[in-house]
Amino acid sequence: TQLLEQSPQFLSIQEGENLTVYCNSSSVFSSLQWYRQEPGEGPVLLVTVVTGGEVKKLKRLTFQFGDARKDSSLHITAAQPGDTGLYLCAGAPGDSSYKLIFGSGTRLLVRP
Amino acid sequence: GAGVSQTPSNKVTEKGKYVELRCDPISGHTALYWYRQSLGQGPEFLIYFQGTGAADDSGLPNDRFFAVRPEGSVSTLKIQRTERGDSAVYLCASSLGTSGAEQFFGPGTRLTVL
C-alpha cells in the first residue's frame, strides 16, 4: 500500500516568517501534486511536479520533487494570513494515475 | 463557467437509513471521481467513472456503497444502512481526461450519521 506522510501536522507562525512542509513516502510516484483546502471547500490544485529533482515556483511558494520521486517539499517565503489553510500533497501511482493518494495534510495558521 | 457542485452541502441522518449524495461535474468533463475525507485526514479515493461506466470502484469500502452515472454527467453516490463510521465529507471531482489530468473538486457533502 502506498502511503504519503506529511509533516508537521500543525504549524502556527507569525506573518512574515518562512516555513517548509514535507511530504514523504517509501514508494515512487509518477507525479506529485500539492493542494490547498479551506474550510467548507474542496482541495484546489496549486502545482504538479513530474520530474525527479524538479523545482517549481508560484509567487512566494516553492515546490520541490525529490530526485527519487518519493518525496516533496513546499516552502513558503514571508507567509501571509491569506496562506492559512490545509496543505495536502497527493501522489499519482504509475499504474493508475487517476487514483490520487493523499497525505493527511499540514494545517497552517499564519497570525497577523 | 460553473465548477463542480454537490448537493446537499450537509446531510444528517440516523443509523440504518439510506442516503443519496449528488455531484454535478464541470460541463464536458468525461471523468468523475468520488473521494471520502474523514476528520483530520486527506481525501481517500472511492470510485472513478469514465463516461457512464465505473472504471475503478476499488475504493468503495463495502457493498453498502454504490455509485451511478447513467448519462455520463451527473453522478449519485448511494449509501445503504448507514453507520456512524460513514460520517465524513464526501468529495466529488471531475476532469477532462484521466491520466495526469487535473481533477477539479467540489465543495463536498458533509454526512453525519447519528
Side-chain angles (χ1 to χ4, degrees):
Chain A
T1 303
Q2 292 177 292
L3 295 173
L4 280 168
E5 295 185 355
Q6 289 189 242
S7 61
Q9 286 185 293
F10 303 97
L11 194 53
S12 178
I13 61 170
Q14 202 70 35
E15 181 177 1
E17 293 183 358
N18 302 333
L19 67 118
T20 303
V21 299
Y22 301 93
C23 176
N24 295 295
S25 175
S26 58
S27 304
V28 175
F29 289 94
S30 61
S31 68
L32 202 140
Q33 301 176 344
W34 284 91
Y35 292 81
R36 191 172 95 182
Q37 184 176 24
E38 302 197 27
E41 298 181 9
V44 175
L45 181 66
L46 296 174
V47 77
T48 300
V49 285
V50 177
T51 306
E54 181 176 5
V55 176
K56 281 192 174 179
K57 293 193 175 184
L58 185 66
K59 297 184 181 178
R60 294 176 294 101
L61 278 59
T62 302
F63 305 85
Q64 184 162 8
F65 202 11
D67 291 341
R69 290 185 289 132
K70 293 182 179 181
D71 55 84
S72 181
S73 63
L74 159 59
H75 182 81
I76 302 179
T77 303
Q80 299 177 0
D83 296 328
T84 293
L86 177 66
Y87 288 82
L88 294 158
C89 65
D95 57 345
S96 47
S97 60
Y98 54 84
K99 192 189 296 187
L100 295 177
I101 296 171
F102 282 86
S104 56
T106 293
R107 190 165 298 280
L108 173 66
L109 172 65
V110 182
R111 305 184 306 275
Chain B
V4 177
S5 62
Q6 293 186 244
T7 54
S9 55
N10 282 284
K11 176 72 178 177
V12 180
T13 191
E14 294 179 342
K15 180 176 179 295
K17 299 290 188 183
Y18 168 82
V19 296
E20 290 189 352
L21 312 179
R22 176 186 168 111
C23 172
D24 281 86
I26 293 172
S27 177
H29 280 194
T30 57
L32 185 145
Y33 316 81
W34 284 97
Y35 291 82
R36 178 168 72 173
Q37 187 172 22
S38 300
L39 193 62
Q41 300 296 317
E44 178 186 21
F45 172 84
L46 296 178
I47 187 170
Y48 151 60
F49 286 90
Q50 181 59 253
T52 60
D56 185 343
D57 65 358
S58 62
L60 294 178
N62 52 60
D63 61 6
R64 295 187 297 105
F65 289 74
F66 189 71
V68 296
R69 195 186 185 200
E71 298 178 358
S73 178
V74 170
S75 176
T76 304
L77 178 65
K78 308 181 181 192
I79 310 174
Q80 298 178 322
R81 304 182 306 279
T82 51
E83 300 178 357
R84 293 193 179 89
D86 298 335
S87 296
V89 175
Y90 289 82
L91 294 165
C92 175
S94 69
S95 67
L96 263 179
T98 51
S99 180
E102 179 179 354
Q103 297 183 23
F104 294 85
F105 284 82
T109 293
R110 180 175 297 279
L111 175 66
T112 303
V113 182
L114 301 177

